[in-house]
Amino acid sequence: MTRINAFRTIAPTSSSVSWGKQLTTKNIGALVFAAILIVCSLTVGCSNDKPQPISNNQVPVTQPPSPILPVSAPAPQPEAKPAPKKAVHKKPATVNYTDQNSGLTFEYPRRYAIETGSAATDLLASTPLPMNFVQPGGVALAAVELPETSFANTDFSSAFFDVSINKALTADQCSEFAVPQPKVVTTAAAPVPSGASTGTATATPAQSTPTQAASAQVEPASSSKLMLGDIELRATEAVSGEGARQSDSKYFHVFQNGACYEFALNVTTDASEEGVVKHVDRDKVFNRLEQIMATVKINPVVAPEVTAEAPTPTPAETPAQ
C-alpha cells in the first residue's frame, strides 16, 4: 500500500513537470514574439523622431527677376505760401457824431453813452437848468454822459456834455444867457433947482419939485469869451443845488447858420449824509467834458432852394362900350 501511495504521489509530480515544460516552451515563443513587436515599434518610433537629412539633389527654386521700373524725377512741389493772418480790426477809441441838419460834428469816447432826440431832452430835463437861452424854442440835439463809475468812491453823481439849438434867436440874443439873469442897477438923477431968478424985483414963488428921479438900467449878465478854433463863443457858469446835491454847469453860445448853438457841460455831485465820501475833483470832470467840446465843428448848412413861381398875368379888362 505504501508503494501504491508513493507511486500515486510521484505520478502527478512527473506529469506536472512535463506540463511545466510544455507551458514554458509556449510562453517563450509568445514572449519572443512580443519582444520582437516591441523592438520593431521602438525602432520605427525612433526613426520618425530623427530629423530627415537634406538631400543635395533638390533643385533650387529660382524666382523670376522683378522688372525694373523707370524712376521718374519727382515733380517740383509749389512752395507753400504761409496762410494770411487774419487782420484784427480794432474799433477806434472814439465815435463821431454828425447831424446833417445843423452841420454839427464832434467826437466822444466809445465807452461813453450818447442820447439823441427825445432821449437827450429827457436827460436834460433831469438838471435844474436844461437850457440857458433867453427865449424859448431850444431843441436838444445830443447828450453824451460819462459812466457812473468814472470816479469811484467819491460824491460824483453824473456828468454830461450836451448840444442844443435855437433857431428863433438873433445874433445879439444868442450872446445872452437866461442865467445868471441880468442885473437891474438904479442910478440917481441930478437934483432939479427949485427956482430961477428972472432979473425982476419980484420973484415967483418956488414950486415944490422932486429933488431925485430914479432911472433903471439893465446890466448884461457876466460872461466871457472862448475861442474854439476859429469859432468865438460866449460863456457863462451857473451853480445850483439843494442840500447835499449840487449841480455846476458851464454854457457856451455861438451864432452860426442863422441859429444859436448852445454847448453845456454839467457836473452833479451828491454828498452822503455821513460825510465820509471823498469830494470829486470837479476840474478833472470838466476836463473830460472839455475834451469832447474841443472836437466840435459846425459845418455850413446849405438852405434848400425854394423856387418862387412867377404870378400869371391877368388879362386887361376892356372898357364896356
Side-chain angles (χ1 to χ4, degrees), residues 18-39:
S18 63
W19 179 85
K21 290 180 181 180
Q22 292 176 358
L23 181 61
T24 302
T25 304
K26 292 179 181 181
N27 290 341
I28 291 172
L31 291 174
V32 171
F33 181 75
I36 293 172
L37 289 178
I38 292 171
V39 171

PDB file of all heavy atoms in Angstrom, residues 18-39:
ATOM      1  N   SER A  18       6.293  17.656 -16.680  1.00  0.00           N
ATOM      2  CA  SER A  18       6.153  17.693 -18.148  1.00  0.00           C
ATOM      3  C   SER A  18       5.224  18.782 -18.595  1.00  0.00           C
ATOM      4  O   SER A  18       5.471  19.456 -19.598  1.00  0.00           O
ATOM      5  CB  SER A  18       5.675  16.316 -18.629  1.00  0.00           C
ATOM      6  OG  SER A  18       4.378  16.037 -18.073  1.00  0.00           O
ATOM      7  N   TRP A  19       4.189  19.043 -17.864  1.00  0.00           N
ATOM      8  CA  TRP A  19       3.243  20.159 -18.228  1.00  0.00           C
ATOM      9  C   TRP A  19       3.933  21.491 -18.117  1.00  0.00           C
ATOM     10  O   TRP A  19       3.742  22.387 -18.921  1.00  0.00           O
ATOM     11  CB  TRP A  19       2.028  20.084 -17.296  1.00  0.00           C
ATOM     12  CG  TRP A  19       1.062  21.185 -17.600  1.00  0.00           C
ATOM     13  CD1 TRP A  19       0.121  21.190 -18.513  1.00  0.00           C
ATOM     14  CD2 TRP A  19       0.999  22.382 -16.879  1.00  0.00           C
ATOM     15  NE1 TRP A  19      -0.576  22.319 -18.500  1.00  0.00           N
ATOM     16  CE2 TRP A  19      -0.046  23.100 -17.458  1.00  0.00           C
ATOM     17  CE3 TRP A  19       1.694  22.936 -15.793  1.00  0.00           C
ATOM     18  CZ2 TRP A  19      -0.399  24.384 -17.006  1.00  0.00           C
ATOM     19  CZ3 TRP A  19       1.287  24.193 -15.390  1.00  0.00           C
ATOM     20  CH2 TRP A  19       0.284  24.910 -15.993  1.00  0.00           C
ATOM     21  N   GLY A  20       4.765  21.579 -17.089  1.00  0.00           N
ATOM     22  CA  GLY A  20       5.507  22.841 -16.921  1.00  0.00           C
ATOM     23  C   GLY A  20       6.458  23.035 -18.045  1.00  0.00           C
ATOM     24  O   GLY A  20       6.659  24.151 -18.504  1.00  0.00           O
ATOM     25  N   LYS A  21       7.078  21.893 -18.533  1.00  0.00           N
ATOM     26  CA  LYS A  21       7.960  22.055 -19.661  1.00  0.00           C
ATOM     27  C   LYS A  21       7.218  22.498 -20.873  1.00  0.00           C
ATOM     28  O   LYS A  21       7.667  23.378 -21.627  1.00  0.00           O
ATOM     29  CB  LYS A  21       8.704  20.730 -19.927  1.00  0.00           C
ATOM     30  CG  LYS A  21       9.729  20.367 -18.852  1.00  0.00           C
ATOM     31  CD  LYS A  21      10.414  19.021 -19.196  1.00  0.00           C
ATOM     32  CE  LYS A  21      11.439  18.602 -18.130  1.00  0.00           C
ATOM     33  NZ  LYS A  21      12.118  17.304 -18.452  1.00  0.00           N
ATOM     34  N   GLN A  22       6.076  21.924 -21.073  1.00  0.00           N
ATOM     35  CA  GLN A  22       5.281  22.342 -22.237  1.00  0.00           C
ATOM     36  C   GLN A  22       4.853  23.802 -22.112  1.00  0.00           C
ATOM     37  O   GLN A  22       4.882  24.567 -23.055  1.00  0.00           O
ATOM     38  CB  GLN A  22       4.041  21.429 -22.358  1.00  0.00           C
ATOM     39  CG  GLN A  22       4.399  20.022 -22.720  1.00  0.00           C
ATOM     40  CD  GLN A  22       3.169  19.078 -22.745  1.00  0.00           C
ATOM     41  OE1 GLN A  22       2.049  19.512 -22.439  1.00  0.00           O
ATOM     42  NE2 GLN A  22       3.380  17.803 -23.089  1.00  0.00           N
ATOM     43  N   LEU A  23       4.419  24.171 -20.954  1.00  0.00           N
ATOM     44  CA  LEU A  23       3.978  25.561 -20.737  1.00  0.00           C
ATOM     45  C   LEU A  23       5.125  26.514 -20.945  1.00  0.00           C
ATOM     46  O   LEU A  23       4.969  27.615 -21.514  1.00  0.00           O
ATOM     47  CB  LEU A  23       3.400  25.719 -19.323  1.00  0.00           C
ATOM     48  CG  LEU A  23       2.882  27.093 -18.952  1.00  0.00           C
ATOM     49  CD1 LEU A  23       1.727  27.485 -19.888  1.00  0.00           C
ATOM     50  CD2 LEU A  23       2.424  27.080 -17.508  1.00  0.00           C
ATOM     51  N   THR A  24       6.297  26.187 -20.577  1.00  0.00           N
ATOM     52  CA  THR A  24       7.443  27.088 -20.695  1.00  0.00           C
ATOM     53  C   THR A  24       7.807  27.281 -22.130  1.00  0.00           C
ATOM     54  O   THR A  24       8.129  28.387 -22.567  1.00  0.00           O
ATOM     55  CB  THR A  24       8.626  26.516 -19.920  1.00  0.00           C
ATOM     56  OG1 THR A  24       8.232  26.338 -18.558  1.00  0.00           O
ATOM     57  CG2 THR A  24       9.824  27.447 -19.967  1.00  0.00           C
ATOM     58  N   THR A  25       7.721  26.325 -22.964  1.00  0.00           N
ATOM     59  CA  THR A  25       8.063  26.435 -24.378  1.00  0.00           C
ATOM     60  C   THR A  25       7.092  27.334 -25.081  1.00  0.00           C
ATOM     61  O   THR A  25       7.460  28.189 -25.884  1.00  0.00           O
ATOM     62  CB  THR A  25       8.079  25.044 -25.021  1.00  0.00           C
ATOM     63  OG1 THR A  25       8.994  24.207 -24.297  1.00  0.00           O
ATOM     64  CG2 THR A  25       8.492  25.113 -26.476  1.00  0.00           C
ATOM     65  N   LYS A  26       5.815  27.184 -24.747  1.00  0.00           N
ATOM     66  CA  LYS A  26       4.799  28.051 -25.382  1.00  0.00           C
ATOM     67  C   LYS A  26       4.990  29.490 -24.955  1.00  0.00           C
ATOM     68  O   LYS A  26       4.863  30.411 -25.752  1.00  0.00           O
ATOM     69  CB  LYS A  26       3.388  27.558 -25.011  1.00  0.00           C
ATOM     70  CG  LYS A  26       3.055  26.218 -25.617  1.00  0.00           C
ATOM     71  CD  LYS A  26       1.661  25.777 -25.188  1.00  0.00           C
ATOM     72  CE  LYS A  26       1.295  24.408 -25.774  1.00  0.00           C
ATOM     73  NZ  LYS A  26      -0.069  23.961 -25.384  1.00  0.00           N
ATOM     74  N   ASN A  27       5.224  29.647 -23.698  1.00  0.00           N
ATOM     75  CA  ASN A  27       5.379  31.021 -23.189  1.00  0.00           C
ATOM     76  C   ASN A  27       6.601  31.681 -23.781  1.00  0.00           C
ATOM     77  O   ASN A  27       6.600  32.895 -24.063  1.00  0.00           O
ATOM     78  CB  ASN A  27       5.520  31.010 -21.666  1.00  0.00           C
ATOM     79  CG  ASN A  27       4.175  30.629 -21.001  1.00  0.00           C
ATOM     80  OD1 ASN A  27       3.129  30.736 -21.640  1.00  0.00           O
ATOM     81  ND2 ASN A  27       4.262  30.173 -19.773  1.00  0.00           N
ATOM     82  N   ILE A  28       7.665  30.925 -24.011  1.00  0.00           N
ATOM     83  CA  ILE A  28       8.868  31.529 -24.576  1.00  0.00           C
ATOM     84  C   ILE A  28       8.605  32.016 -25.961  1.00  0.00           C
ATOM     85  O   ILE A  28       9.024  33.117 -26.356  1.00  0.00           O
ATOM     86  CB  ILE A  28      10.023  30.517 -24.545  1.00  0.00           C
ATOM     87  CG1 ILE A  28      10.458  30.261 -23.088  1.00  0.00           C
ATOM     88  CG2 ILE A  28      11.214  31.021 -25.363  1.00  0.00           C
ATOM     89  CD1 ILE A  28      11.467  29.124 -22.964  1.00  0.00           C
ATOM     90  N   GLY A  29       7.868  31.289 -26.726  1.00  0.00           N
ATOM     91  CA  GLY A  29       7.562  31.726 -28.108  1.00  0.00           C
ATOM     92  C   GLY A  29       6.734  32.984 -28.104  1.00  0.00           C
ATOM     93  O   GLY A  29       6.962  33.915 -28.888  1.00  0.00           O
ATOM     94  N   ALA A  30       5.778  32.976 -27.183  1.00  0.00           N
ATOM     95  CA  ALA A  30       4.931  34.190 -27.122  1.00  0.00           C
ATOM     96  C   ALA A  30       5.729  35.374 -26.655  1.00  0.00           C
ATOM     97  O   ALA A  30       5.584  36.506 -27.153  1.00  0.00           O
ATOM     98  CB  ALA A  30       3.766  33.955 -26.177  1.00  0.00           C
ATOM     99  N   LEU A  31       6.593  35.142 -25.709  1.00  0.00           N
ATOM    100  CA  LEU A  31       7.384  36.255 -25.210  1.00  0.00           C
ATOM    101  C   LEU A  31       8.330  36.762 -26.257  1.00  0.00           C
ATOM    102  O   LEU A  31       8.563  37.988 -26.386  1.00  0.00           O
ATOM    103  CB  LEU A  31       8.158  35.816 -23.961  1.00  0.00           C
ATOM    104  CG  LEU A  31       7.303  35.553 -22.707  1.00  0.00           C
ATOM    105  CD1 LEU A  31       8.187  34.983 -21.588  1.00  0.00           C
ATOM    106  CD2 LEU A  31       6.590  36.810 -22.267  1.00  0.00           C
ATOM    107  N   VAL A  32       8.916  35.863 -27.044  1.00  0.00           N
ATOM    108  CA  VAL A  32       9.834  36.308 -28.116  1.00  0.00           C
ATOM    109  C   VAL A  32       9.097  37.119 -29.134  1.00  0.00           C
ATOM    110  O   VAL A  32       9.573  38.162 -29.623  1.00  0.00           O
ATOM    111  CB  VAL A  32      10.519  35.088 -28.735  1.00  0.00           C
ATOM    112  CG1 VAL A  32      11.295  35.476 -29.977  1.00  0.00           C
ATOM    113  CG2 VAL A  32      11.441  34.421 -27.723  1.00  0.00           C
ATOM    114  N   PHE A  33       7.920  36.663 -29.478  1.00  0.00           N
ATOM    115  CA  PHE A  33       7.137  37.409 -30.479  1.00  0.00           C
ATOM    116  C   PHE A  33       6.756  38.787 -29.963  1.00  0.00           C
ATOM    117  O   PHE A  33       6.843  39.801 -30.669  1.00  0.00           O
ATOM    118  CB  PHE A  33       5.881  36.600 -30.832  1.00  0.00           C
ATOM    119  CG  PHE A  33       5.030  37.262 -31.870  1.00  0.00           C
ATOM    120  CD1 PHE A  33       5.417  37.257 -33.205  1.00  0.00           C
ATOM    121  CD2 PHE A  33       3.849  37.899 -31.518  1.00  0.00           C
ATOM    122  CE1 PHE A  33       4.614  37.862 -34.152  1.00  0.00           C
ATOM    123  CE2 PHE A  33       3.064  38.501 -32.463  1.00  0.00           C
ATOM    124  CZ  PHE A  33       3.434  38.502 -33.784  1.00  0.00           C
ATOM    125  N   ALA A  34       6.397  38.858 -28.689  1.00  0.00           N
ATOM    126  CA  ALA A  34       6.044  40.155 -28.101  1.00  0.00           C
ATOM    127  C   ALA A  34       7.248  41.053 -28.050  1.00  0.00           C
ATOM    128  O   ALA A  34       7.187  42.280 -28.287  1.00  0.00           O
ATOM    129  CB  ALA A  34       5.482  39.963 -26.707  1.00  0.00           C
ATOM    130  N   ALA A  35       8.411  40.478 -27.740  1.00  0.00           N
ATOM    131  CA  ALA A  35       9.616  41.305 -27.675  1.00  0.00           C
ATOM    132  C   ALA A  35       9.961  41.861 -29.029  1.00  0.00           C
ATOM    133  O   ALA A  35      10.399  43.001 -29.179  1.00  0.00           O
ATOM    134  CB  ALA A  35      10.766  40.478 -27.108  1.00  0.00           C
ATOM    135  N   ILE A  36       9.789  40.998 -30.101  1.00  0.00           N
ATOM    136  CA  ILE A  36      10.077  41.472 -31.468  1.00  0.00           C
ATOM    137  C   ILE A  36       9.169  42.639 -31.833  1.00  0.00           C
ATOM    138  O   ILE A  36       9.602  43.631 -32.409  1.00  0.00           O
ATOM    139  CB  ILE A  36       9.942  40.309 -32.449  1.00  0.00           C
ATOM    140  CG1 ILE A  36      11.056  39.283 -32.187  1.00  0.00           C
ATOM    141  CG2 ILE A  36      10.009  40.810 -33.891  1.00  0.00           C
ATOM    142  CD1 ILE A  36      10.892  37.985 -32.989  1.00  0.00           C
ATOM    143  N   LEU A  37       7.891  42.500 -31.441  1.00  0.00           N
ATOM    144  CA  LEU A  37       6.955  43.597 -31.751  1.00  0.00           C
ATOM    145  C   LEU A  37       7.357  44.879 -31.032  1.00  0.00           C
ATOM    146  O   LEU A  37       7.284  45.985 -31.589  1.00  0.00           O
ATOM    147  CB  LEU A  37       5.546  43.177 -31.335  1.00  0.00           C
ATOM    148  CG  LEU A  37       4.883  42.091 -32.208  1.00  0.00           C
ATOM    149  CD1 LEU A  37       3.514  41.733 -31.656  1.00  0.00           C
ATOM    150  CD2 LEU A  37       4.757  42.573 -33.646  1.00  0.00           C
ATOM    151  N   ILE A  38       7.788  44.738 -29.773  1.00  0.00           N
ATOM    152  CA  ILE A  38       8.176  45.935 -29.015  1.00  0.00           C
ATOM    153  C   ILE A  38       9.388  46.579 -29.634  1.00  0.00           C
ATOM    154  O   ILE A  38       9.486  47.796 -29.793  1.00  0.00           O
ATOM    155  CB  ILE A  38       8.419  45.550 -27.550  1.00  0.00           C
ATOM    156  CG1 ILE A  38       7.089  45.145 -26.895  1.00  0.00           C
ATOM    157  CG2 ILE A  38       9.046  46.722 -26.786  1.00  0.00           C
ATOM    158  CD1 ILE A  38       7.264  44.544 -25.511  1.00  0.00           C
ATOM    159  N   VAL A  39      10.355  45.749 -30.042  1.00  0.00           N
ATOM    160  CA  VAL A  39      11.581  46.310 -30.637  1.00  0.00           C
ATOM    161  C   VAL A  39      11.263  47.016 -31.949  1.00  0.00           C
ATOM    162  O   VAL A  39      11.777  48.088 -32.247  1.00  0.00           O
ATOM    163  CB  VAL A  39      12.613  45.201 -30.818  1.00  0.00           C
ATOM    164  CG1 VAL A  39      13.802  45.699 -31.631  1.00  0.00           C
ATOM    165  CG2 VAL A  39      13.083  44.694 -29.476  1.00  0.00           C
TER     166      VAL A  39
END
